[in-house]
Amino acid sequence: TASYTYFRKMVNSKYSFDYIKQYGGKSLRTEEMINYFSYDTVEPVEGDMFGVKAVISDCMWNVENKMLMLTLKAKEVEIPPAGNNLVFLIDVSGSMDAPDKLDLLKKAFSYLVARLTEKDKVSIVTYSGREKVVLENCPGNQTERIMDAINSLVASGSTNGEAGLKEAYKIAESCFIQNGNNRIILASDGDLNVGMTSVEEIKEFVAEKRESGIYISVLGFGTGNYRDAKMETIADNGNGVYYYVDSESEAEKIFGSELVSTLYTVAKDVKFQITFNPAIVKSYRLIGYENRMLNTEDFQDDKKDAGEVGSGHALTVCYELVLEES
């Protein structure tokens, strides 16, 4: 849902639409805006992974066509009794020195930390010019200790994201909980300018690491030098979710009402394919998902990476339809 909150942040910051189109256009993905909102859903029936609800109406921008909206609701699972192994990977480089970056980041993590238990383990890795392990394998119910470590962070220096990522995975592997939820949560403005800096380098690294059973999710902060492409790449290829945090209320939403779907994956490498009856549908157009499209042959290739869906998570897909004349 990062695109919607990033757009909201720019609008509230009084950026012009010309500026948003020129500098933020590639960061505004239609499907992420659609999926920010909640819709009526159908719960999965016994034995099914998803419940599916279909709604058809006139297309709002072309009433001669129809709009099909499909909403899939994933089943909810019990939280793994083994607990969470969480590594907070926090960017403390100089570019994070702003109220809507490091200060907001600290508040965001407070909502998550408040909900952890003694079964959970928390580690904190920071990176700027160099990486640093601030906290390692701390019981989740030691709230004050964890928040003291987070609140003590100060921003300065360059952004060696490579060193931070490698150290975070190293810590996550050493604290691995068998049959538990092992996840890195990266919080940054995405401005990795030392070490791995290209999208392709980052993609290759996190794609390899996800095979260990450690997933990485992303929280984005700030504007100006924000690097959306890098943040989306990390989450998409690290089997995680990607949020952009523009306010305290958004942070509370992510780690409050959406906490379970944020942390717990129930379906891995999900591929969605639909076939229309050519006697009724003359042509169709998928709305959004341009950089998530798969070739037809990839649907049968289990080695092809696809999307992950969290516990109880809802996913909405829209198609514009041109119908055959009756």
Side-chain angles (χ1 to χ4, degrees):
T1 60
S3 286
Y4 178 80
T5 42
Y6 185 50
F7 175 74
R8 183 172 68 186
K9 171 71 173 181
M10 289 191 289
V11 171
N12 289 335
S13 298
K14 304 296 191 285
Y15 286 98
S16 69
F17 281 98
D18 286 340
Y19 180 93
I20 293 172
K21 182 178 180 181
Q22 182 176 355
Y23 296 102
K26 292 183 179 179
S27 302
L28 305 180
R29 293 171 289 275
T30 309
E31 70 276 8
E32 293 181 18
M33 293 191 167
I34 293 171
N35 279 281
Y36 181 82
F37 300 95
S38 298
Y39 308 97
D40 290 338
T41 59
V42 174
E43 295 294 328
V45 299
E46 186 69 28
D48 286 348
M49 177 64 74
F50 297 98
V52 182
K53 182 175 182 178
V55 177
I56 192 165
S57 65
D58 289 337
C59 180
M60 61 190 73
W61 55 81
N62 187 350
V63 294
E64 294 181 357
N65 295 340
K66 296 295 182 181
M67 174 70 74
L68 171 66
M69 184 173 81
L70 293 171
T71 299
L72 290 77
K73 174 71 180 298
K75 69 178 183 181
E76 295 186 23
V77 298
E78 293 183 3
I79 296 175
N84 298 288
N85 164 34
L86 301 177
V87 179
F88 302 160
L89 176 56
I90 300 176
D91 181 355
V92 293
S93 62
S95 65
M96 290 293 289
D97 186 16
D100 63 347
K101 293 186 180 182
L102 189 57
D103 291 347
L104 181 56
L105 180 157
K106 293 175 181 179
K107 188 65 179 179
F109 275 110
S110 71
Y111 291 111
L112 171 58
V113 172
R115 303 192 64 177
L116 300 178
T117 71
E118 70 278 359
K119 293 181 180 180
D120 305 315
K121 302 296 181 183
V122 173
S123 302
I124 300 173
V125 176
T126 62
Y127 65 94
S128 54
R130 65 183 183 86
E131 78 285 2
K132 180 181 179 181
V133 179
V134 177
L135 192 67
E136 185 171 356
N137 211 27
C138 177
N141 62 340
Q142 294 187 16
T143 306
E144 186 174 351
R145 181 184 172 194
I146 298 169
M147 286 311 305
D148 282 347
I150 292 173
N151 288 328
S152 69
L153 301 179
V154 178
S156 66
S158 58
T159 316
N160 193 343
E162 176 179 353
L165 280 167
K166 288 181 176 178
E167 187 64 34
Y169 277 106
K170 178 181 175 182
I171 296 296
E173 289 165 2
S174 68
C175 301
F176 194 89
I177 298 177
Q178 198 67 37
N179 299 320
N181 177 43
N182 298 276
R183 187 177 296 267
I184 298 168
I185 300 178
L186 167 63
S188 171
D189 61 7
D191 189 20
L192 284 68
N193 53 36
V194 178
M196 285 183 293
T197 57
S198 74
V199 170
E200 282 304 315
E201 287 177 305
I202 295 168
K203 178 179 179 179
E204 183 178 347
F205 177 77
V206 297
E208 179 184 344
K209 288 295 185 180
R210 70 174 178 242
E211 300 304 323
S212 66
I214 299 169
Y215 296 170
I216 182 167
S217 292
V218 173
L219 301 179
F221 294 86
T223 54
N225 64 336
Y226 189 67
R227 299 293 184 264
D228 167 81
K230 293 177 182 178
M231 303 295 270
E232 187 201 15
T233 295
I234 291 171
D236 278 358
N237 294 278
N239 283 6
V241 292
Y242 173 30
Y243 292 104
Y244 178 85
V245 185
D246 66 334
S247 62
E248 285 189 26
S249 60
E250 185 66 20
E252 188 173 14
K253 176 174 176 280
I254 293 166
F255 291 130
S257 60
E258 297 181 2
L259 177 68
V260 174
S261 62
T262 298
L263 289 183
Y264 302 104
T265 300
V266 296
K268 178 183 174 184
D269 289 332
V270 176
K271 302 171 185 177
F272 182 83
Q273 191 174 36
I274 184 169
T275 302
F276 292 103
N277 184 344
I280 299 174
V281 178
K282 183 177 182 180
S283 62
Y284 63 89
R285 179 171 71 94
L286 174 63
I287 308 300
Y289 294 95
E290 287 86 358
N291 64 348
R292 293 179 168 90
M293 296 285 283
L294 293 175
N295 296 322
T296 301
E297 61 271 17
D298 292 334
F299 280 88
Q300 305 303 322
D301 183 358
D302 290 339
K303 295 180 181 179
K304 185 68 176 179
D305 183 51
E308 279 62 47
V309 179
S311 175
H313 183 74
L315 172 69
T316 297
V317 184
C318 295
Y319 290 87
E320 180 181 0
L321 308 179
V322 178
L323 303 185
E324 290 285 0
E325 295 183 7
S326 56

